[in-house]
Amino acid sequence: MKGNEKQVLKIVIELKDAKRESIAQKIGISKEYASKICQNLVVDGYLDEINNGNFRLTLKGKKSISPIITTGPIPILKGGN
């Protein structure tokens, strides 16, 4: 996933349901480029297009930008002596 795509996902999470215009304005890109990024994210399953121009994160999108939380013991690799 590219940097602009992650930015779009973070903006959509911030705005809940985001329009292309809002996304473009927040990132500082054209509406056309924002639209292209959003369509790619829809195809890849990270966003859902609710109606014409409004986007919402899918579960896959939420997981992709959430910090990874590990539970239990984490194995430690030891260097050779």
Side-chain angles (χ1 to χ4, degrees):
M1 181 178 298
K2 297 176 186 170
N4 281 341
E5 291 171 336
K6 280 202 174 204
Q7 280 185 307
V8 166
L9 293 178
K10 288 178 182 180
I11 288 169
V12 172
I13 224 173
E14 177 186 322
L15 300 175
K16 307 292 183 227
D17 296 337
K19 295 182 179 182
R20 291 179 182 123
E21 294 81 13
S22 304
I23 294 168
Q25 187 177 27
K26 281 249 191 205
I27 298 178
I29 59 176
S30 70
K31 289 186 279 186
E32 294 79 14
Y33 187 51
S35 179
K36 184 176 180 179
I37 292 172
C38 290
Q39 288 306 318
N40 288 338
L41 290 169
V42 167
V43 168
D44 292 341
Y46 295 100
L47 290 179
D48 277 333
E49 189 166 5
I50 304 165
N51 53 32
N52 194 18
N54 285 350
F55 296 93
R56 181 181 295 162
L57 280 178
T58 62
L59 183 59
K60 182 178 179 180
K62 289 177 186 174
K63 285 181 179 180
S64 72
I65 60 172
S66 318
I68 298 173
I69 299 172
T70 58
T71 58
I74 300 172
I76 298 173
L77 300 176
K78 294 183 178 181
N81 285 1

